[in-house]
Amino acid sequence: MSLAETLPLLVLVLLLLAGSGVSPSSMEVVFEGDRVVDETPDAFVVAGGNVTVPADAVVQGQLFVIGGDTRIDGRVDGNVRVFAGTLSVSDTATITGELQAVAGNLSVAPGADIGRRTTVDVTRQERTPLATVGIVVMQMVLLGGVAAVLTRRIPHYLATVGDAITGHPVVSGVVGSIAGTTMLVVFVYMAFTLLLLPLSIVGLFVEVLLVGYGYLAYGYLLGQRLPVERDDVASALGVAGFLLCMELLGRVPYVGALIQLSLLLVGLGAVLITYFGVHRFEPPEIPG
């Protein structure tokens, strides 16, 4: 399982622990290697490797399986949840709480003593065309409203970012690629240091906001080319048109996704090199 796949599951575990009143500081996570467990903290997470609860062991607390291979031969006084990975419960095993299977591979021997066993059906439902249209319209309304407000209050900021998009697309794209990739990698790795996990989530959220700000600048640019007198209305319509274009590009295999990514990175880079539109970007002059 990759880091990007593990991160959301770790966040989910943290949310479940927060809901049950268990402090994340009392959580232990295993990412790799072979581990025999005869005692656990309040919460024990298997994200990778091979973990075994031997037949003579009695562990207390909540056990989460989000990756790797886990085998229970002994007794677990608490709940066990499987989100990914593999869990095997042998004939000699006892789970006094709930054994909940959400995803992953679960094997339970007939002789195992399970307090309660449940399965959560998370089969992906195909989105209907009406639902797709509804989501796109909702995005248009929300981002269009934000664009209209920003155009009324700080139009020069959006204009400055827009100038960087149109005047310096290569520089913006390179900066956006480096910054976007670096931030994503750093925030994902930070997530594996439990104390920095909240900061990692905030960082990823900020990165999404930066991309959204770039979208607003694209909408401002499009709006300026529409035959609409009011600038705020033009920006809102421009954002709606840009989102529609991005949605249509997403339906074109490979090429469409490549264009989408390029636009996203150029917009992100333009936001950064102009400091959110506060300063106009001027490329450095090369002597000689």
Side-chain angles (χ1 to χ4, degrees):
M1 176 176 287
S2 67
L3 297 178
E5 292 172 325
T6 304
L7 176 60
L9 294 177
L10 268 177
V11 173
L12 175 61
V13 170
L14 284 174
L15 292 175
L16 290 173
L17 290 177
S20 62
V22 176
S23 172
S25 60
S26 64
M27 180 174 72
E28 182 180 355
V29 184
V30 173
F31 290 107
E32 59 184 2
D34 297 329
R35 177 79 174 271
V36 177
V37 178
D38 50 15
E39 62 179 10
T40 63
D42 292 339
F44 189 82
V45 183
V46 182
N50 300 293
V51 174
T52 302
V53 179
D56 57 348
V58 178
V59 299
Q60 297 182 344
Q62 300 189 51
L63 173 63
F64 298 90
V65 180
I66 64 173
D69 296 309
T70 305
R71 178 180 177 83
I72 299 177
D73 295 324
R75 179 185 178 94
V76 177
D77 286 336
N79 298 325
V80 178
R81 290 188 171 92
V82 184
F83 295 112
T86 300
L87 173 64
S88 301
V89 183
S90 69
D91 282 318
T92 60
T94 298
I95 299 175
T96 60
E98 178 183 8
L99 172 59
Q100 185 180 67
V102 180
N105 301 311
L106 175 62
S107 172
V108 181
D113 184 8
I114 310 295
R116 188 162 69 99
R117 183 174 175 180
T118 59
T119 301
V120 178
D121 185 6
V122 292
T123 303
R124 182 178 179 180
Q125 301 294 325
E126 291 296 330
R127 187 186 298 172
T128 65
L130 182 61
T132 300
V133 172
I135 292 174
V136 174
V137 171
M138 183 177 66
Q139 292 174 339
M140 290 177 176
V141 171
L142 291 177
L143 279 183
V146 175
V149 171
L150 293 182
T151 301
R152 283 198 293 267
R153 295 182 178 275
I154 50 173
H156 49 288
Y157 285 8
L158 294 177
T160 302
V161 177
D163 289 343
I165 290 175
T166 56
H168 308 283
V170 176
V171 176
S172 298
V174 171
V175 172
S177 301
I178 295 174
T181 304
T182 302
M183 286 190 291
L184 185 62
V185 171
V186 169
F187 293 144
V188 169
Y189 272 98
M190 285 171 60
F192 288 95
T193 305
L194 297 180
L195 292 177
L196 297 179
L197 182 58
L199 184 60
S200 171
I201 297 172
V202 172
L204 291 172
F205 180 69
V206 169
E207 190 169 0
V208 172
L209 290 181
L210 291 175
V211 172
Y213 195 73
Y215 278 27
L216 297 179
Y218 278 115
Y220 178 84
L221 288 175
L222 289 178
Q224 295 303 301
R225 289 159 176 75
L226 296 176
V228 178
E229 292 185 0
R230 288 184 52 178
D231 289 341
D232 54 349
V233 176
S235 291
L237 293 176
V239 167
F242 179 74
L243 290 174
L244 181 60
C245 290
M246 293 292 275
E247 179 67 23
L248 295 176
L249 284 172
R251 299 181 181 279
V252 180
Y254 306 113
V255 176
L258 183 61
I259 297 175
Q260 273 186 324
L261 179 62
S262 299
L263 291 171
L264 183 152
L265 293 176
V266 169
L268 173 62
V271 171
L272 294 176
I273 64 176
T274 61
Y275 301 96
F276 300 87
V278 175
H279 295 289
R280 183 180 180 83
F281 175 72
E282 296 291 348
E285 296 183 0
I286 301 177

